């Protein structure tokens, strides 16, 4: 048998998670099924910009979106302690149309509640990309703006808007529930004005965001398209 010259074996991605590698699963009737998770479970095409509809329809849709904000219950930092009081009878965020949801597929708002570790950033990216458009990001505290007290830390990020588009920042360390309600009010204003276009910005600058993400996440072991 002659060996083909110049033909090299395909290199294996050492960071690829075992569950994302091609493997065989057993079907309900005992049959073997070949599964390639990256091609079978995830989208292989880049995201697309969602163009607004005509002015009157889009204005109505933006009003409806602003008055029904479904927040992904994902606490990323110390600001998470401010979220439960927000839903208590004293502040009652439900009366403003703000509701917590358990999964990204049900949510329209992602709150980054304070400092964000590089390890957590990977999970945040996947959660954000799995949320349906239109989607919005609210960032709490100085840590999301300039790193705060962790500005020179090796394992936390300094500026959230290098990795995800941010629609509203709420300053403070940490902001009180009243400030977070004010942040929701500002987000509602931006949505109604048609200015909360972070999801489309993420699509338009997708390569830039993805390059920044991979600079800090050294063990990138998930697909680029988590739709």
């Amino acid at each position: 048998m002659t060996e083909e010259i110049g033909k090299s074996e395909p290199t294996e991605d050492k960071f690829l998670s075992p569950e994302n590698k091609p493997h065989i699963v057993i079907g309900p009737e005992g049959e073997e099924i070949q599964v390639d998770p990256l091609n079978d479970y995830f989208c292989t095409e880049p995201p697309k910009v969602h163009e607004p509809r005509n002015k009157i329809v889009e204005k109505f849709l933006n009003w409806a979106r602003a008055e029904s904000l479904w927040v992904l219950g994902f606490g990323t930092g110390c600001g998470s302690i401010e979220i439960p009081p927000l839903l208590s009878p004293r502040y009652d965020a439900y009366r403003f149309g703000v509701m917590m949801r358990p999964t990204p597929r049900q949510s329209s708002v992602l709150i980054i509640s304070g400092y964000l570790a590089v390890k957590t950033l990977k999970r945040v990216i996947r959660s954000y990309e799995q949320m349906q458009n239109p989607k919005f990001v609210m960032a709490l505290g100085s840590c999301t703006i300039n790193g705060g007290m962790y500005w020179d830390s090796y394992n936390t990020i300094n500026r959230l808007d290098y990795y995800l588009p941010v629609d509203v920042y709420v300053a403070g360390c940490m902001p009180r529930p009243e400030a977070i309600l004010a942040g929701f009010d500002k987000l509602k204003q931006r949505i109604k004005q048609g200015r909360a276009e972070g999801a489309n910005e993420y699509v338009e600058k997708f390569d830039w965001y993805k390059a920044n993400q991979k600079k800090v996440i050294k063990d990138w072991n998930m697909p680029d398209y988590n739709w």
Side-chain angles (χ1 to χ4, degrees), residues 80-106:
S80 306
I81 199 67
E82 301 294 340
I83 304 299
L86 191 69
L87 306 173
S88 66
R90 180 173 182 181
Y91 299 103
D92 194 13
Y94 293 111
R95 63 197 163 109
F96 297 105
V98 177
M99 180 176 289
M100 295 294 160
R101 304 309 301 161
T103 70
R105 298 297 189 193
Q106 298 175 337

Side-chain angles (χ1 to χ4, degrees), residues 13-17 74 116-129 153-160 162-164 202 208-224 226:
D13 186 351
K14 64 179 180 179
F15 291 130
L16 189 65
S17 296
F74 185 174
L116 189 56
V118 174
K119 266 187 179 181
T120 313
L121 175 63
K122 185 191 296 186
R123 280 77 185 173
V124 166
I125 292 167
R126 172 164 284 190
S127 298
Y128 176 77
E129 291 183 349
S153 173
Y154 68 93
N155 65 342
T156 56
I157 63 170
N158 287 351
R159 285 189 56 173
L160 177 61
Y162 280 177
Y163 311 99
L164 290 176
Y202 189 73
W208 182 78
Y209 279 114
K210 199 58 64 176
N212 289 343
Q213 294 164 4
K214 290 183 178 181
K215 274 182 188 175
V216 295
I217 302 175
K218 304 299 184 184
D219 58 339
W220 186 272
N221 60 358
M222 59 185 186
D224 282 352
N226 292 290

Side-chain angles (χ1 to χ4, degrees), residues 3-223:
E3 228 177 89
E4 291 186 31
I5 307 232
K7 186 175 180 181
S8 58
E9 291 292 325
T11 57
E12 184 179 353
D13 186 351
K14 64 179 180 179
F15 291 130
L16 189 65
S17 296
E19 65 269 17
N20 287 333
K21 295 179 180 179
H23 58 277
I24 294 175
V25 297
I26 305 300
E29 297 182 2
E31 72 276 18
E32 293 186 350
I33 303 173
Q34 180 74 30
V35 175
D36 184 0
L38 292 187
N39 293 317
D40 296 343
Y41 301 157
F42 297 96
C43 184
T44 55
E45 297 179 4
K48 298 178 181 178
V49 173
H50 287 253
E51 299 290 344
R53 296 170 177 82
N54 70 66
K55 191 174 181 181
I56 296 175
V57 174
E58 195 66 22
K59 188 174 182 180
F60 170 75
L61 291 176
N62 283 337
W63 170 83
R65 291 162 183 157
E67 297 302 327
S68 180
L69 298 175
W70 289 19
V71 183
L72 177 61
F74 185 174
T76 62
C78 49
S80 306
I81 199 67
E82 301 294 340
I83 304 299
L86 191 69
L87 306 173
S88 66
R90 180 173 182 181
Y91 299 103
D92 194 13
Y94 293 111
R95 63 197 163 109
F96 297 105
V98 177
M99 180 176 289
M100 295 294 160
R101 304 309 301 161
T103 70
R105 298 297 189 193
Q106 298 175 337
S107 308
S108 61
V109 180
L110 176 60
I111 296 180
I112 305 300
S113 51
Y115 68 86
L116 189 56
V118 174
K119 266 187 179 181
T120 313
L121 175 63
K122 185 191 296 186
R123 280 77 185 173
V124 166
I125 292 167
R126 172 164 284 190
S127 298
Y128 176 77
E129 291 183 349
Q130 288 183 350
M131 292 168 64
Q132 305 297 301
N133 285 357
K135 51 192 173 186
F136 317 101
V137 175
M138 181 186 294
L140 309 184
S142 55
C143 288
T144 58
I145 301 171
N146 57 16
M149 68 177 71
Y150 305 105
W151 65 272
D152 61 344
S153 173
Y154 68 93
N155 65 342
T156 56
I157 63 170
N158 287 351
R159 285 189 56 173
L160 177 61
D161 60 357
Y162 280 177
Y163 311 99
L164 290 176
V166 179
D167 295 285
V168 172
Y169 283 103
V170 182
C173 187
M174 286 305 297
R176 286 179 51 82
E178 298 95 330
I180 300 175
L181 285 178
F184 277 117
D185 189 54
K186 184 65 177 177
L187 179 60
K188 286 185 174 192
Q189 292 176 23
R190 288 178 60 86
I191 295 173
K192 289 177 181 178
Q193 294 166 0
R195 295 170 53 215
E197 289 292 316
N200 280 338
E201 179 191 334
Y202 189 73
V203 173
E204 291 167 351
K205 300 166 64 176
F206 185 76
D207 292 336
W208 182 78
Y209 279 114
K210 199 58 64 176
N212 289 343
Q213 294 164 4
K214 290 183 178 181
K215 274 182 188 175
V216 295
I217 302 175
K218 304 299 184 184
D219 58 339
W220 186 272
N221 60 358
M222 59 185 186

